[in-house]
Amino acid sequence: MLTLRPLQRYQLVTDLGVAGVFGLLALAVELAGTTSGALAPLAVVGENVGAVLVALALTAALAMRRLQPGLALVLAWAGAFLQMGFGRQPSPADLAIFAVLYTTAAYGSRRVFWWGFASGIAGAAIVPLYLVGRGLSAPLTINDWFAVGALLLASGFALMLAWVSGALVRTAVRAAANSRAQRAAEAETIAEQQRVRIARDMHDVVAHSLAVVIAQADGARYAAAADPAAASDALATISSTARAALTDVRVLLSQLRHSQGEGPQPTLADLDQLFDRVRAAGVELDVRVDPVPPGEPPAAIQLAVFRIMQEALTNALRHGVDPRVRVRLGWFADRVELSVRNARSTSAAVGVPAAGGHGLIGMRERAQLVGGRLTAEPEYGEFVVQATLPIGSPQ
């Protein structure tokens, strides 16, 4: 079963229109080329039938050249054999053969592509033999052989020029398709990286905020009867934390809807608010920044420091057995060093994230993305998160 290539409507109309006009002209040329005056009536009929069949075969080949290049090549060969079978001279109708060779190379399948190449070579050999042989009445002379050679070169050049032109177009079309596919793959990779980053941010925001909310809710439940004011303060902290988390989640969801907009990202100025939320959850937070940033560090470093600090404090809040947590942050000329230390329950899966979790994995990824390193492991009864992030000259 023949498979037709998909064409736009205007391409189909153009091909059929051009083929129709070509068919009328080819039929007129072929009929005008008959030698009816010197032939018997039956011979005249045969000559006209041959002219019509040749014109029809070449017209059909021209009409099908882009729809089905393989069928067009068969029809072109049929027209050539009919032309030779009826002993007809080459005519302008043979131009259809060049168009067919072009499309076999440009749009044909791999098999049709090479059949077109073989047809060009075979046609280049057949043309001179037919033209010289049909009028041969004596052995070939040296001049006849020169004529055969000249015709071989001329026909070979013309036929292969059509095929090579199509091959060049085929190469250009494939290169454009490969370029589009590469751009699509790169865009998909970028989108996937964006989704992973957003998922990591979502985990950081939700995990930290829920840890604070849970700690405050537990505290409020225990203090409700004895100290209503403490319960009220806890509820206020829960409310502010939930609102901040909702704002962050909305920003992240807007990035999912609009991949072009990055939205505001946390900076060093937001660390104090983070520390306040953790302290409000009942953590005795000891923060020491030495040395302080000499200028404005790069935005990527600020974001990495904030997210690593947020996740480390969330882990301390969730798994720590001692409310005391020590935070050290040092901004040096070429790097920033941070550490978060807290006592950790021995029954917890120390240093091992839950299956499918993003916590420790996310911290390590954030450090690696800016060229740094991070360790999270037990040390002398404490769980210690340490990170070193390289920075350039502060802005």
Side-chain angles (χ1 to χ4, degrees):
M1 183 177 178
L2 294 176
T3 303
L4 301 181
R5 292 182 63 248
L7 296 179
Q8 299 290 337
R9 178 173 295 182
Y10 78 91
Q11 294 175 316
L12 185 60
V13 172
T14 300
D15 286 358
L16 295 179
V18 169
V21 173
F22 174 84
L24 294 176
L25 295 176
L27 185 60
V29 169
E30 290 293 332
L31 291 176
T34 58
T35 55
S36 58
L39 297 175
L42 288 178
V44 171
V45 173
E47 187 84 1
N48 290 333
V49 169
V52 172
L53 291 177
V54 170
L56 289 177
L58 294 178
T59 299
L62 188 67
M64 297 297 295
R65 70 189 190 280
R66 285 200 292 185
L67 272 174
Q68 184 31 262
L71 178 59
L73 184 63
V74 172
L75 292 171
W77 272 111
F81 283 128
L82 286 170
Q83 191 176 59
M84 291 185 292
F86 283 98
R88 302 187 61 80
Q89 288 280 1
S91 69
D94 294 327
L95 291 174
I97 296 174
F98 296 97
V100 170
L101 284 177
Y102 170 86
T103 53
T104 57
Y107 308 117
S109 63
R110 183 175 181 83
R111 181 178 299 178
V112 172
F113 176 83
W114 289 112
W115 273 115
F117 175 79
S119 298
I121 299 296
I126 291 173
V127 168
L129 295 178
Y130 171 71
L131 293 178
V132 173
R134 68 189 299 270
L136 187 64
S137 58
L140 290 175
T141 64
I142 187 67
N143 291 331
D144 293 331
W145 283 111
F146 275 120
V148 170
L151 287 172
L152 177 65
L153 292 176
S155 60
F157 176 79
L159 293 171
M160 295 309 298
L161 178 62
W163 185 87
V164 169
S165 298
L168 292 176
V169 170
R170 183 191 192 94
T171 302
V173 169
R174 287 193 171 183
N178 291 338
S179 178
R180 288 193 298 270
Q182 182 178 0
R183 289 195 297 270
E186 291 174 351
E188 179 62 25
T189 300
I190 293 173
E192 180 63 24
Q193 292 174 346
Q194 180 78 343
R195 286 191 291 268
V196 171
R197 185 186 66 80
I198 292 173
R200 188 165 51 239
D201 286 345
M202 187 76 76
H203 169 270
D204 292 343
V205 169
V206 173
H208 169 75
S209 301
L210 288 181
V212 173
V213 167
I214 291 170
Q216 288 294 310
D218 288 341
R221 182 162 55 88
Y222 294 134
D227 190 355
S232 178
D233 292 341
L235 292 175
T237 302
I238 290 174
S239 176
S240 62
T241 301
R243 284 193 178 94
L246 181 60
T247 300
D248 290 341
V249 168
R250 282 174 174 169
V251 170
L252 293 173
L253 292 179
S254 70
Q255 293 181 43
L256 286 174
R257 289 193 297 267
H258 309 287
S259 59
Q260 297 297 326
E262 288 294 327
Q265 295 291 350
T267 62
L268 295 183
D270 298 305
L271 282 176
D272 288 338
Q273 186 178 1
L274 173 65
F275 296 151
D276 290 340
R277 288 203 301 266
V278 173
R279 288 190 179 100
V283 175
E284 298 178 12
L285 195 60
D286 177 20
V287 179
R288 183 178 303 174
V289 181
D290 184 26
V292 298
E296 184 72 14
I301 298 297
Q302 296 187 55
L303 176 61
V305 168
F306 182 90
R307 292 306 187 195
I308 292 173
M309 191 73 69
Q310 183 182 52
E311 180 60 33
L313 291 175
T314 299
N315 287 341
L317 182 62
R318 293 172 60 188
H319 303 294
V321 296
D322 191 317
R324 292 173 296 181
V325 177
R326 291 178 293 162
V327 173
R328 299 293 180 264
L329 190 59
W331 294 89
F332 300 94
D334 59 342
R335 70 191 187 281
V336 55
E337 295 181 354
L338 67 89
S339 67
V340 178
R341 295 173 175 268
N342 68 285
R344 182 143 179 173
S345 172
T346 56
S347 61
V350 178
V352 181
H358 293 273
L360 300 183
I361 296 176
M363 287 193 292
R364 290 194 181 96
E365 286 181 350
R366 289 194 179 279
Q368 292 169 1
L369 283 175
V370 294
R373 64 181 185 274
L374 181 142
T375 59
E377 56 190 5
E379 182 180 303
Y380 302 113
E382 295 181 320
F383 189 77
V384 182
V385 175
Q386 290 182 311
T388 301
L389 312 178
I391 57 175
S393 300
Q395 300 174 357

